[in-house]
Amino acid sequence: MRDAYHEELDLLTDKLVQMTSLVRSAISRATTALLDADLQLAESVISRDEEVNAVFADIESSIFDLMARQQPVAVDLRMVITALRMGTDLERMGDLAVHVAKVARLRHPESAIPPEIRSTILEMGQIAENIVTKAGSCVASRDVDSALELEQDDDAMDRLHRRLFRNILSKEWPHGVEPAIDITLIGRYYERYADHAVRVAADVVYLVTGSRPS
Amino acid sequence: MRDAYHEELDLLTDKLVQMTSLVRSAISRATTALLDADLQLAESVISRDEEVNAVFADIESSIFDLMARQQPVAVDLRMVITALRMGTDLERMGDLAVHVAKVARLRHPESAIPPEIRSTILEMGQIAENIVTKAGSCVASRDVDSALELEQDDDAMDRLHRRLFRNILSKEWPHGVEPAIDITLIGRYYERYADHAVRVAADVVYLVTGSRPS
């Protein structure tokens, strides 16, 4: 009985790792869709968000089941509680990738990203991918040290976010208000995406140590 | 024993209602700070967010306690699980009010809001207040019908949000890029605030019926 129970808890971890992998792929495709004005890729991000939501629904019902049938205590209880929180954050990351993809779709066949901003957006996309990949590893390994390192990737994202604003606000910005609005929102989506990944990692720290990083 | 247990569950509801009241006050003050360029009020929103976070921390530790000591089943189990989710949403609403207040602080002694946008922002603030007030009532009363009504207030928020974009994007927009960026972000903060309130109400529906509104 105890064994089946721990298998169920492990399965919860597997599903969370699967979510990190789905939302990594989503932000990767969304970034490419944005930079290449690739409508088909944008549509794939939007339609495949259902997969992320389905895994989360699955996690939620497993948790409900587990709690109703078992009485998880100590680290097992922390596992189910943090799994709920992590799942909520990961689901939101999927939504944010969809938001990015929707801007790409809205501006197609144009690109929403003017040339002088492309490298910043590319870097934001890469950091988003790195940070969620690391978050996934942390969830799988429960490695507190690597979980704490994610803060640094998030700092890098914040620096890029500020660079983006400097670009839009520079006197030389020739593109007017509409692209500035697009880029403001896109920047916000990437920044929030990274924030949620940091929260997932913080939950790994909580899971292992019983207290959250400050 | 059972009685003390149900008192604890009721206390959880009281604390959630308290959170709705704190974040209602926060968005109300943030809107006024924004429209009146009132630095002191903006600072009060920013510094008093700690109160919201403290109530949520309190809720989280009560839930952990309850789960470890009791074995909540059926509607009680749904109560503790949804309380966690509601608390997460309400905490985020507090953060969003802080974001609004920070724009007010950044632009002080100017107002971030040009005259032609003021009435839209005022209305968005009012809808945000109404929607969180209703969410609080739903949490207290567990009234499914009123919980479902919140969708309509959210539709009104979405309409205002679109009006905001029309204003910024109109050919007559004389204020340039920087105020457009501020207003893009502010609009997003109010819209997200309302979304989270709708999620709180959706959790009331789940709590009572066992399934979420579509």
Side-chain angles (χ1 to χ4, degrees), chain A residues 47-208:
Chain A
S47 63
R48 287 176 55 190
D49 191 45
E50 275 307 311
E51 295 173 32
V52 181
N53 298 344
V55 181
F56 183 47
D58 205 20
I59 289 174
E60 280 193 304
S61 80
S62 306
I63 287 173
F64 204 88
D65 255 35
L66 259 167
M67 289 207 172
R69 283 185 297 104
Q70 314 280 355
Q71 189 171 23
V73 290
V75 73
D76 296 341
L77 177 57
R78 284 209 296 270
M79 179 64 213
V80 285
I81 287 181
T82 53
L84 262 185
R85 295 171 52 102
M86 290 175 186
T88 307
D89 283 311
L90 288 163
E91 192 203 21
R92 185 74 201 137
M93 290 162 76
D95 292 343
L96 289 162
V98 166
H99 287 335
V100 171
K102 283 187 173 169
V103 180
R105 181 171 72 177
L106 183 67
R107 298 304 170 207
H108 182 269
E110 305 295 314
S111 167
I113 309 299
E116 62 270 51
I117 301 282
R118 290 178 64 85
S119 67
T120 307
I121 296 293
L122 180 67
E123 277 185 72
M124 290 178 96
Q126 285 169 343
I127 290 181
E129 279 190 65
N130 289 343
I131 208 168
V132 69
T133 305
K134 285 185 191 172
S137 301
C138 294
V139 171
S141 67
R142 301 196 181 180
D143 181 341
V144 170
D145 289 336
S146 3
L148 290 169
E149 276 174 33
L150 258 75
E151 286 285 353
Q152 284 157 36
D153 298 277
D154 194 40
D155 290 345
M157 182 66 99
D158 291 342
R159 275 195 299 277
L160 289 167
H161 196 205
R162 284 194 295 274
R163 193 208 286 170
L164 209 55
F165 280 121
R166 276 200 306 279
N167 274 300
I168 313 172
L169 290 170
S170 91
K171 289 222 168 70
E172 285 83 46
W173 178 255
H175 306 287
V177 171
E178 190 171 278
I181 292 175
D182 281 350
I183 289 158
T184 300
L185 290 173
I186 288 166
R188 176 101 191 132
Y189 301 147
Y190 281 105
E191 188 225 1
R192 291 298 302 152
Y193 185 99
D195 281 349
H196 284 286
V198 169
R199 284 165 58 111
V200 170
D203 270 332
V204 173
V205 177
Y206 173 71
L207 171 58
V208 177

Side-chain angles (χ1 to χ4, degrees), chain A residues 56 60 63-64 67-74 77-78 80-81 84-85 88 91-92 95-96 99 107 165 168-169 173 176-178 180-181 184-185 188-189 192 199 206 212, chain B residues 56 60 63-64 67-74 77-78 80-81 84-85 88 91-92 95-96 99 107 165 168-169 173 176-178 180-181 184-185 188-189 192 199 206 212:
Chain A
F56 183 47
E60 280 193 304
I63 287 173
F64 204 88
M67 289 207 172
R69 283 185 297 104
Q70 314 280 355
Q71 189 171 23
V73 290
L77 177 57
R78 284 209 296 270
V80 285
I81 287 181
L84 262 185
R85 295 171 52 102
T88 307
E91 192 203 21
R92 185 74 201 137
D95 292 343
L96 289 162
H99 287 335
R107 298 304 170 207
F165 280 121
I168 313 172
L169 290 170
W173 178 255
V177 171
E178 190 171 278
I181 292 175
T184 300
L185 290 173
R188 176 101 191 132
Y189 301 147
R192 291 298 302 152
R199 284 165 58 111
Y206 173 71
R212 275 201 187 86
Chain B
F56 183 47
E60 280 194 304
I63 287 174
F64 205 87
M67 290 211 172
R69 284 184 298 103
Q70 314 278 355
Q71 190 171 21
V73 289
L77 177 56
R78 284 210 296 270
V80 286
I81 287 181
L84 261 184
R85 295 170 53 102
T88 306
E91 192 203 22
R92 184 72 202 138
D95 292 343
L96 289 162
H99 287 335
R107 299 303 170 207
F165 280 122
I168 313 172
L169 289 170
W173 177 255
V177 171
E178 189 170 278
I181 292 175
T184 300
L185 290 172
R188 176 98 191 135
Y189 301 147
R192 291 297 302 151
R199 285 164 58 109
Y206 173 70
R212 272 199 191 90

Side-chain angles (χ1 to χ4, degrees), chain B:
Chain B
M1 190 60 192
R2 240 351 237 179
D3 269 7
Y5 164 56
H6 279 99
E7 266 170 38
E8 280 182 81
L9 285 173
D10 290 345
L11 204 58
L12 222 47
T13 300
D14 293 347
K15 284 177 192 162
L16 288 167
V17 173
Q18 190 192 350
M19 282 186 87
T20 64
S21 154
L22 288 171
V23 303
R24 189 209 55 74
S25 165
I27 199 72
S28 165
R29 281 175 290 133
T31 305
T32 305
L34 199 57
L35 293 173
D36 299 353
D38 185 331
L39 182 62
Q40 211 178 336
L41 207 54
E43 294 286 6
S44 89
V45 176
I46 296 161
S47 63
R48 287 176 56 191
D49 190 45
E50 274 308 310
E51 293 172 33
V52 181
N53 298 343
V55 180
F56 183 47
D58 207 20
I59 289 174
E60 280 194 304
S61 80
S62 306
I63 287 174
F64 205 87
D65 255 37
L66 259 167
M67 290 211 172
R69 284 184 298 103
Q70 314 278 355
Q71 190 171 21
V73 289
V75 74
D76 295 342
L77 177 56
R78 284 210 296 270
M79 179 64 213
V80 286
I81 287 181
T82 52
L84 261 184
R85 295 170 53 102
M86 290 176 186
T88 306
D89 283 312
L90 289 163
E91 192 203 22
R92 184 72 202 138
M93 289 163 76
D95 292 343
L96 289 162
V98 167
H99 287 335
V100 171
K102 282 187 174 170
V103 180
R105 181 171 73 178
L106 182 67
R107 299 303 170 207
H108 182 268
E110 305 295 316
S111 168
I113 309 298
E116 62 270 51
I117 301 281
R118 290 178 64 85
S119 66
T120 306
I121 296 292
L122 180 67
E123 276 185 73
M124 289 179 98
Q126 285 169 342
I127 289 182
E129 279 189 66
N130 288 346
I131 207 167
V132 69
T133 305
K134 286 184 190 172
S137 302
C138 294
V139 171
S141 67
R142 302 196 182 180
D143 180 341
V144 170
D145 290 336
S146 0
L148 291 169
E149 276 173 33
L150 258 75
E151 287 285 352
Q152 283 157 37
D153 298 276
D154 194 40
D155 289 345
M157 182 65 98
D158 290 341
R159 275 194 300 276
L160 288 167
H161 196 205
R162 284 194 296 271
R163 192 207 289 170
L164 209 54
F165 280 122
R166 276 200 306 278
N167 274 300
I168 313 172
L169 289 170
S170 91
K171 290 222 167 70
E172 285 84 46
W173 177 255
H175 306 288
V177 171
E178 189 170 278
I181 292 175
D182 281 351
I183 289 159
T184 300
L185 290 172
I186 289 166
R188 176 98 191 135
Y189 301 147
Y190 281 104
E191 188 226 1
R192 291 297 302 151
Y193 184 100
D195 281 347
H196 284 286
V198 169
R199 285 164 58 109
V200 169
D203 270 333
V204 173
V205 177
Y206 173 70
L207 171 59
V208 176
T209 68
S211 61
R212 272 199 191 90
S214 55

